[in-house]
Amino acid sequence: MYYLHGTSQINDQGRLEIGGVDTKKLTEEFGTPLFVYDEALIRQRCREYVDAFRASGFQFQVAYASKAFCVKAMCRIVAEEGMSLDVVSDGELYTALEAGFPAERIHFHGNNKTPEEIEMAIDAKIGCFVVDNFSELPVLNSIAAEKRQNVNVLLRITPGVEAHTHEFISTGQTDSKFGFDLGNGSAYKAVEEASKLSSLTILGVHSHIGSQIFEVEGFRMAAERVADFAVQVRSELQVTFKVINLGGGFGIRYVEGHTPLPVAVYVKAITDAVRENFSSNDYPLPAIWVEPGRSIVGDAGTTLYTVGTTKDIPGVRKYVAVDGGMTDNPRPALYDSEYEAVLANRATEPAEEVVSIAGKCCESGDMLIWDLSLPKVENGDILAVSCTGAYNYAMASNYNRIRRPAVVFVKDGHADLIVKRESYKDIIGNDVIPERMKQANQ
Ligand SMILES: *Cc1c(COP(=O)(O)O)cnc(C)c1O
């Protein structure tokens, strides 16, 4: 059953409408595939985090993990909502700076920041680096020293907490490419080393226990371990953490059976856990930072496709192909992710058949949804797939030289183009034919 949320509703013509705009009109104006973002819902999610932290009395920063969906207009919304921004590459940093995002609210993540990326970020005067490993520490320190700048750092630790989630997207356990391990003493050593580096200021520690998490226990455990570590480090190394960053990973509802908690419940569990564990140790209460990505933009995004061909294999399966696929949504192929969809142009008609939605790439694994109940599907119908706002456009590719879709924000009956559909020129824009081949062709 398609789940209507945010400003999505079915209008009098029986068509899906988002942000007060008929999806049929959107496809006529912008073509398909098309990413449609419910701007009011994005802002609502931002405010749920900010309001919940305000109510807690803690100092805080809510940093949107821009990797979920990083384009200039999105950075603008995040800035307007008073939040901070995580970047993990020069490209994301460049996007944020070009959007005019306040540099002091940008945090730089990643397990392999290049010296060029570090220079770019220091030159921009970003707020903080989240240091991931021992190789990074001296490089960051020496570049900062060369530039006569002091940089703020959080040290990313792996607290050994496993969130219940798909194994490909979990990062909190000991065997991880990310962070300094708490259990084997690496985290302790990292604080010791970083505190000796004169161009770095340790703000505190960071932990991210996974993604698409539906319970609070993992965050509570992480807060407890971080607090124990903070107490040890303060008494033995005389380093006091002013910031505790507990990462992102708050789950959303993609399909029935996914049961995310309200944002305020996650935030309360986190702030309560930090308060209990730090105050019981007589430790000055740190600021709390979090980094939601998926839960800010995931359910605000819907992808509209046009139905093309069908292939009915009697007694086996009926394939319905759409004009996109793994190029705009690689998550089913990568993680077996599930999605819900509706025929947007005939949203009130009863289901008549069970079909599977295929993409148009030359790849058998290019499937979007298995066994979906729909009215009798016809060529030209519009298929709306919900909850495609996070890690879809961000992971889109040009495989098969398919042009990346356009993206629109809809709100109060208006649609604004925020990313143009790629052109044929864009597709070949970086191709170069060497002189010798040009001549050989004449
Ligand atoms: C991916 C990631 C996030 C955001 O995760 P979501 O599941 O999208 O909320 C936050 N912090 C770090 C370090 C990450 O790698």
Side-chain angles (χ1 to χ4, degrees):
M1 190 52 199
Y2 192 76
Y3 179 65
L4 290 168
H5 61 286
T7 66
S8 291
Q9 56 180 30
I10 311 298
N11 66 17
D12 296 344
Q13 287 83 49
R15 297 197 289 255
L16 178 67
E17 181 181 292
I18 309 171
V21 189
D22 190 322
T23 48
K24 185 156 180 285
K25 246 190 70 193
L26 288 171
T27 62
E28 284 162 4
E29 187 173 352
F30 300 101
T32 56
L34 180 69
F35 283 103
V36 181
Y37 279 84
D38 180 345
E39 183 180 332
L41 187 54
I42 298 177
R43 290 183 187 274
Q44 180 190 321
R45 297 282 182 250
C46 293
R47 286 167 199 179
E48 284 169 5
Y49 279 98
V50 171
D51 291 348
F53 271 102
R54 269 207 193 110
S56 76
F58 271 91
Q59 298 266 75
F60 68 93
Q61 282 192 40
V62 179
Y64 166 61
S66 76
K67 69 179 184 199
F69 174 58
C70 184
V71 304
K72 282 165 43 176
M74 183 60 207
C75 292
R76 271 305 227 295
I77 289 185
V78 177
E80 284 174 11
E81 295 299 329
M83 307 208 308
S84 301
L85 193 82
D86 279 2
V87 300
V88 295
S89 74
D90 47 2
E92 287 178 355
L93 176 59
Y94 183 79
T95 305
L97 295 172
E98 285 288 304
F101 197 90
E104 70 278 8
R105 284 197 263 140
I106 297 176
H107 310 157
F108 204 134
H109 271 272
N111 66 314
N112 185 21
K113 305 173 189 79
T114 65
E116 293 76 20
E117 287 175 320
I118 292 173
E119 284 201 25
M120 179 178 172
I122 292 180
D123 287 343
K125 299 196 160 54
I126 66 157
C128 169
F129 284 84
V130 182
V131 176
D132 204 273
N133 51 62
F134 286 110
S135 324
E136 184 181 341
L137 275 173
V139 177
L140 179 59
N141 184 61
S142 69
I143 297 175
E146 257 167 50
K147 293 181 179 295
R148 295 178 200 294
Q149 288 211 34
N150 202 277
V151 300
N152 292 325
V153 301
L154 291 179
L155 300 167
R156 176 166 183 171
I157 64 173
T158 35
V161 175
E162 252 180 86
H164 295 150
T165 183
H166 197 292
E167 64 175 325
F168 291 132
I169 43 181
S170 95
T171 53
Q173 69 280 62
T174 301
D175 184 7
S176 163
K177 77 167 182 173
F178 295 111
F180 301 99
D181 191 57
L182 197 60
N184 70 8
S186 294
Y188 186 90
K189 230 176 109 215
V191 176
E192 204 172 18
E193 282 196 17
S195 65
K196 291 182 193 143
L197 298 173
S198 58
S199 296
L200 307 186
T201 300
I202 303 174
L203 293 184
V205 286
H206 167 279
S207 122
H208 174 71
I209 58 171
S211 267
Q212 189 58 351
I213 299 167
F214 294 135
E215 37 83 30
V216 295
E217 200 44 40
F219 293 103
R220 277 210 203 101
M221 282 169 63
E224 191 182 316
R225 294 194 186 175
V226 164
D228 289 347
F229 180 58
V231 169
Q232 183 196 6
V233 157
R234 188 164 72 134
S235 75
E236 295 174 18
L237 299 173
Q238 287 75 53
V239 174
T240 303
F241 298 152
K242 294 189 184 69
V243 175
I244 301 301
N245 186 330
L246 288 168
F250 313 100
I252 66 168
R253 182 202 179 283
Y254 285 99
V255 293
E256 220 168 322
H258 288 177
T259 50
L261 299 165
V263 164
V265 173
Y266 287 113
V267 172
K268 186 161 188 316
I270 285 174
T271 52
D272 284 352
V274 170
R275 188 177 285 113
E276 279 162 33
N277 289 289
F278 279 82
S279 48
S280 67
N281 284 298
D282 207 16
Y283 197 103
L285 280 187
I288 303 176
W289 295 5
V290 289
E291 310 172 320
R294 187 190 315 274
S295 54
I296 297 288
V297 285
D299 64 357
T302 301
T303 311
L304 303 179
Y305 299 99
T306 301
V307 169
T309 59
T310 55
K311 174 184 174 180
D312 198 356
I313 312 168
V316 178
R317 177 180 300 285
K318 182 170 176 183
Y319 287 93
V320 169
V322 294
D323 55 354
M326 65 188 292
T327 41
D328 55 79
N329 186 358
R331 294 188 69 256
L334 275 174
Y335 311 117
D336 294 325
S337 309
E338 295 178 283
Y339 287 92
E340 289 178 347
V342 67
L343 280 191
N345 54 320
R346 297 192 278 131
T348 51
E349 293 184 20
E352 263 186 73
E353 56 181 357
V354 174
V355 300
S356 292
I357 307 299
K360 62 178 274 136
C361 290
C362 290
E363 194 69 53
S364 294
D366 178 24
M367 294 295 297
L368 290 175
I369 302 175
W370 296 99
D371 301 327
L372 173 70
S373 295
L374 289 179
K376 190 134 183 40
V377 187
E378 284 162 23
N379 182 285
D381 276 332
I382 304 164
L383 186 79
V385 178
S386 59
C387 290
T388 57
Y391 307 107
N392 278 225
Y393 188 79
M395 286 188 170
S397 76
N398 289 125
Y399 180 50
N400 288 162
R401 292 241 135 169
I402 290 169
R403 292 172 292 149
R404 268 178 283 229
V407 184
V408 295
F409 278 175
V410 289
K411 185 169 177 273
D412 302 332
H414 291 285
D416 290 309
L417 184 68
I418 63 151
V419 185
K420 292 187 234 171
R421 184 178 309 282
E422 281 178 337
S423 64
Y424 294 122
K425 280 226 169 87
D426 291 330
I427 288 289
I428 59 162
N430 292 318
D431 290 11
V432 179
I433 298 180
E435 273 314 308
R436 62 190 169 82
M437 291 185 190
K438 285 184 193 157
Q439 278 150 16
N441 249 6
Q442 279 165 2

